Amino acid sequence: PPKGSPRFRWLQEAEKKHSRVALLAAPSLAAIAMATGEDPVPWLNHQPLGEQILFYSSAGILESINLRRLAKGFTLKDEEEPGRVFATNASALPNLNFIEDTAGRACMLGVAGTLLASATQSVA
């Protein structure tokens, strides 16, 4: 899509959201693996249902912060900048965006690899 179009802006927003989730997931998965000595994905799936509901509900509540940024048709409002949830110093954004995007993309690949490895082990 053309740069600046609603579709392009939506894709930028989606990439930021996924990379932020991966930036949280990567160290969490690593910490679980180090602490338990187990594959973190099945370990998480075998936690009591109440703990899983609490975890995913908390994530859902945090995600609801972004709902105010959406317009009709589940699109990003025109006045919203993709990925910018909170007001920050605009002069620092280019460097911070580059660092966040690079780290987020690396974490997305790492988390995807972890999930793929876990899935192939469960099938074998």
Side-chain angles (χ1 to χ4, degrees):
K3 191 171 186 173
S5 70
R7 177 80 175 140
F8 184 82
R9 293 176 72 244
W10 179 251
L11 291 173
Q12 285 181 304
E13 176 75 5
E15 180 184 22
K16 280 284 195 190
K17 290 174 72 125
H18 284 88
S19 68
R20 288 174 179 159
V21 169
L23 284 163
L24 291 172
S28 299
L29 292 171
I32 291 169
M34 288 187 290
T36 64
E38 297 181 36
D39 184 337
V41 176
W43 183 86
L44 285 167
N45 290 336
H46 288 96
Q47 296 308 301
L49 180 61
E51 290 179 24
Q52 289 187 42
I53 290 172
L54 179 64
F55 173 79
Y56 291 116
S57 296
S58 300
I61 290 168
L62 289 173
E63 184 60 30
S64 69
I65 292 170
N66 281 321
L67 292 178
R68 66 177 170 72
R69 303 177 69 235
L70 301 178
K72 186 177 180 180
F74 207 62
T75 58
L76 196 60
K77 290 179 182 175
D78 290 337
E79 66 272 11
E80 294 289 341
E81 183 180 335
R84 192 168 178 190
V85 179
F86 302 108
T88 56
N89 181 356
S91 64
L93 283 180
N95 291 333
L96 290 176
N97 277 330
F98 175 77
I99 292 167
E100 182 184 27
D101 289 346
T102 303
R105 290 170 183 152
C107 285
M108 283 190 282
L109 290 171
V111 169
T114 300
L115 296 175
L116 183 61
S118 182
T120 58
Q121 288 176 2
S122 66
V123 173

